[in-house]
């Protein structure tokens, strides 16, 4: 069955592609050179609706489906994986958890600002010793009268420092394991909330990755998402969408790498006007990677389709993220090899894609974890 976009989905994909080429592409060298967050670019994306694509119009979004959002993310990531992950985290795990699990007061106060680009979102779950094992987080939230007091540290938080709103997870009852984790909305202005060390990464220059410190941060009960003890299920439910987003990002990297390789072999014709039949070993490599990239594309959009329909998609999201990220690393590596020394030079598109690709195998669950998720789903 061939994947076909609706007219609305195709128009969203086309507009996103055009924006990526005209607005994002020119600032990629600046982002790489200075490792600077593209704040001015985000301020352009807001009014165009790119920060609220799958959010209902009732809450300030564009009212598009998850497939259209995935297509936009895919096209943007072809040009800049850094901007792609900023958008993915903001939408998939920074905004949608509040929309899906929050109440109308929270949607009015936070989702509307996030969807219109007035605010940027982040997702604060990972801690030292609690990355793949998210149930082992140690940040605590103690209820006192009409508020909670949060204490702890989060690591490797995408968009941290630039974000205004943090969907944060803390332990409210240590005796209940995963059932003792609760979700909160933390404003960047909260007293005692501090942005820690900014990490210097091998790739995704321009995307912030920082520590977060909670030192007796008082959060009103009204900023709790769902009930006490529902945080772990909220996190896991949100991560399915996040993993599809990272799959779309990785797919964009693979597609960009494939385009680079194809561009390395300009079409030459004989004097009779026919293409020569000479076959090089590199052609076989390109053919193999083209097939893997197409397989990744189908997996990503299949998972997005299930998500859009409200159907369970944990297995499919893991498959999409795992296959797309493995393909991105393989395709980017092949592009560097094919271009030779030109592909190894700093500021080379192939070199950037190679650095950007690796982390897609790691964040939103390492691929080793996804193999466990997939096997568990199959063995149920």
């Amino acid at each position: 069955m061939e994947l076909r976009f609706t007219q609305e989905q195709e128009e969203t994909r086309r507009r996103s592609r055009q924006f990526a080429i005209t607005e994002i592409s020119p600032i990629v060298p600046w982002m790489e050179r200075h490792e600077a967050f593209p704040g001015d670019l985000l301020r352009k994306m807001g009014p165009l609706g790119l920060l609220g694509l799958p959010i209902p119009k009732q809450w300030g979004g564009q009212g598009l489906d998850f497939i259209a959002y995935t297509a936009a993310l895919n096209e943007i990531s072809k040009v800049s994986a850094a901007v792609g992950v900023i958008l993915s985290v903001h939408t998939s795990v920074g905004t949608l958890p509040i929309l899906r699990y929050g109440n109308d007061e929270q949607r009015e106060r936070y989702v509307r600002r996030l969807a219109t680009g007035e605010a940027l979102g982040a997702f604060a779950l990972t801690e030292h010793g609690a990355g793949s094992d998210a149930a082992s987080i140690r940040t605590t939230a103690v209820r006192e009268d009409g508020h909670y007091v949060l204490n702890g540290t989060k690591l490797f938080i995408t968009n941290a420092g630039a974000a205004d709103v943090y969907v944060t997870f803390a332990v409210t009852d240590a005796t209940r394991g995963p059932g003792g984790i609760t979700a909160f909305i933390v404003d960047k202005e909260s007293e005692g909330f501090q942005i820690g060390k900014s990490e210097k990464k091998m790739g995704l220059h321009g995307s912030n990755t920082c520590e977060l410190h909670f030192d007796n941060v008082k959060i009103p009960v009204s900023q709790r998402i769902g009930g006490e003890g529902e945080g772990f299920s909220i996190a896991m439910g949100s991560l399915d969408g996040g993993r599809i987003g990272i799959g779309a990002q990785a797919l964009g990297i693979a597609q960009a790498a494939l385009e680079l390789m194809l561009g390395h072999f300009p079409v030459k014709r004989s004097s009779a006007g026919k293409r020569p039949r000479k076959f090089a070993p590199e052609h076989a490599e390109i053919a193999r990677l083209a097939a893997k990239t197409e397989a990744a594309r189908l997996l990503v959009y299949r998972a997005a389709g299930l998500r859009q329909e409200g159907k369970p998609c944990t297995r499919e999201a893991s498959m999409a993220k795992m296959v797309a990220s493995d393909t991105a690393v393989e395709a980017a590596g092949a592009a560097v090899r094919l271009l030779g020394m030109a592909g190894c030079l700093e500021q080379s598109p192939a070199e950037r894609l190679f650095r950007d690709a690796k982390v897609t195998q790691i964040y939103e669950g390492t691929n080793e974890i996804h193999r466990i998720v997939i096997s568990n789903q199959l063995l149920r």
Side-chain angles (χ1 to χ4, degrees):
M1 171 175 177
E2 185 179 355
L3 170 68
R4 292 181 179 176
F5 291 140
T6 65
Q7 183 176 350
E8 186 175 61
Q9 291 163 353
E10 174 59 26
E11 176 61 19
T12 301
R13 187 204 65 78
R14 188 196 64 76
R15 287 191 296 108
S16 301
R17 176 66 173 169
Q18 185 63 31
F19 179 84
I21 292 171
T22 59
E23 299 291 342
I24 300 177
S25 183
I27 71 166
V28 168
W30 173 81
M31 291 170 61
E32 287 294 310
R33 187 165 56 251
H34 299 286
E35 299 188 28
F37 186 83
D40 289 344
L41 179 69
L42 269 290
R43 282 185 279 276
K44 292 181 181 179
M45 292 172 69
L48 293 175
L50 289 171
L51 297 179
L53 291 172
I55 309 302
K57 293 182 179 180
Q58 175 187 2
W59 305 112
Q62 298 300 297
L64 300 177
D65 63 22
F66 200 82
I67 296 174
Y69 159 63
T70 301
L73 183 54
N74 181 196
E75 290 295 342
I76 286 171
S77 296
K78 286 181 187 177
V79 173
S80 171
V83 177
V85 75
I86 292 168
L87 175 60
S88 178
V89 168
H90 164 82
T91 306
S92 297
V93 291
T95 306
L96 287 176
I98 306 175
L99 175 70
R100 186 175 183 186
Y101 301 103
N103 55 44
D104 281 353
E105 181 182 347
Q106 292 167 340
R107 295 183 187 106
E108 182 62 41
R109 181 178 177 185
Y110 292 104
V111 172
R112 186 175 300 281
R113 291 170 54 221
L114 290 163
T116 58
E118 295 174 44
L120 186 69
F123 184 81
L125 177 63
T126 301
E127 300 180 9
H128 180 71
S132 296
D133 183 12
S136 297
I137 65 171
R138 295 185 177 181
T139 296
T140 59
V142 178
R143 185 162 182 170
E144 297 179 357
D145 299 325
H147 60 266
Y148 289 87
V149 179
L150 273 62
N151 282 283
T153 298
K154 300 290 185 180
L155 299 177
F156 308 136
I157 306 304
T158 301
N159 290 351
D164 306 281
V165 178
Y166 297 78
V167 175
T168 303
F169 299 85
V171 177
T172 48
D173 186 347
T175 67
R176 296 181 57 203
I181 296 174
T182 302
F184 301 92
I185 303 170
V186 177
D187 293 299
K188 68 175 182 179
E189 299 90 356
S190 301
E191 186 176 354
F193 175 64
Q194 296 181 336
I195 307 300
K197 178 179 66 173
S198 178
E199 305 290 353
K200 293 183 70 67
K201 307 183 296 295
M202 66 179 285
L204 298 181
H205 294 170
S207 164
N208 285 8
T209 306
C210 305
E211 292 181 351
L212 302 178
H213 300 295
F214 299 85
D215 183 11
N216 292 322
V217 179
K218 290 185 178 181
I219 300 298
V221 172
S222 61
Q223 288 176 219
R224 184 186 69 207
I225 306 175
E228 281 197 9
E230 295 179 2
F232 188 74
S233 62
I234 290 173
M236 294 303 102
S238 301
L239 285 174
D240 281 345
R243 288 161 179 168
I244 296 169
I246 298 306
Q249 179 204 20
L251 175 62
I253 295 172
Q255 290 168 325
L258 191 61
E259 288 175 5
L260 276 179
M261 288 186 278
L262 290 170
H264 189 67
F265 293 98
V267 175
K268 296 180 180 178
R269 297 184 181 275
S270 67
S271 57
K274 298 180 179 180
R275 294 188 182 188
R277 294 185 178 182
K278 184 177 179 181
F279 183 83
E282 293 89 349
H283 295 173
E285 176 79 344
I286 290 173
R288 186 180 64 83
L289 289 170
K292 292 191 71 171
T293 300
E294 181 63 15
R297 186 177 79 97
L298 294 172
L299 282 170
V300 167
Y301 284 103
R302 177 175 179 239
L306 290 172
R307 182 75 171 181
Q308 173 60 33
E309 294 172 10
K311 295 179 179 178
C313 62
T314 296
R315 179 181 65 181
E316 290 78 9
S318 286
M319 286 180 172
K321 190 270 185 189
M322 181 186 72
V323 173
S325 59
D326 283 346
T327 302
V329 170
E330 196 172 353
V336 171
R337 291 196 306 275
L338 183 61
L339 272 63
M341 280 305 300
C344 297
L345 298 177
E346 189 176 353
Q347 303 299 321
S348 159
E351 183 262 354
R352 171 172 56 84
L353 291 171
F354 185 67
R355 289 186 289 102
D356 287 349
K358 186 60 187 177
V359 74
T360 64
Q361 292 179 315
I362 298 170
Y363 58 17
E364 294 288 0
T366 66
N367 284 2
E368 289 75 16
I369 291 297
H370 286 295
R371 292 182 183 98
I372 295 173
V373 171
I374 294 165
S375 64
N376 286 344
Q377 291 280 316
L378 291 172
L379 292 170
R380 279 184 176 180

